[in-house]
Amino acid sequence: MISVLIMAIATLIITNLVMIINMILYKSSITDREKNSPFECGFDPKSSPRMPFSLKFFLIAVIFLIFDIEIALMLPMMPTMMMSDMMQWMMTTTIFIMILVGGLYHEWNQGALNWVY
């Protein structure tokens, strides 16, 4: 147990030392207009280097991630059904699914699932 603690402390010390040495040795942190501009064969860029991002696409991506988390939370429900009291399992599962359906209804009601207005 002590050796694990010593190794954890040594790892923290080494990583902090490497970061401090990097900050000391990294002298070119001075920002320059030429360094921050995108390189396009020596010419000025024809368009903005940062294109606008669709907020609707971001919202759909977040909803997809939430859906993935919901699936990951629902997967252990079936194996635990045999190991627990059936009434308690049904109540817990019903409440969980009702919360998910309520969230889906809220997203639908707010128009978050409509791709085109």
Side-chain angles (χ1 to χ4, degrees), residues 13-91:
I13 290 172
I14 290 171
T15 54
N16 285 330
L17 278 174
V18 169
M19 289 192 312
I20 290 170
I21 290 171
N22 184 32
M23 286 175 44
I24 291 171
L25 295 178
Y26 186 67
K27 296 289 183 187
S28 65
S29 65
I30 300 170
T31 56
D32 188 15
R33 180 182 170 272
E34 294 297 323
K35 287 184 180 180
N36 287 336
S37 66
F39 181 72
E40 195 169 309
C41 300
F43 298 106
D44 289 332
K46 294 184 182 207
S47 63
S48 174
R50 290 170 185 83
M51 296 186 58
F53 188 72
S54 172
L55 190 60
K56 204 66 175 158
F57 176 75
F58 177 74
L59 188 60
I60 294 295
V62 168
I63 291 172
F64 177 74
L65 287 175
I66 291 171
F67 175 73
D68 281 351
I69 292 171
E70 290 171 359
I71 295 297
L73 289 174
M74 289 177 75
L75 280 175
M77 284 185 180
M78 287 303 147
T80 58
M81 180 174 68
M82 299 300 175
M83 293 182 269
S84 61
D85 180 31
M86 191 53 116
M87 187 64 176
Q88 184 180 7
W89 183 85
M90 281 297 285
M91 289 298 293

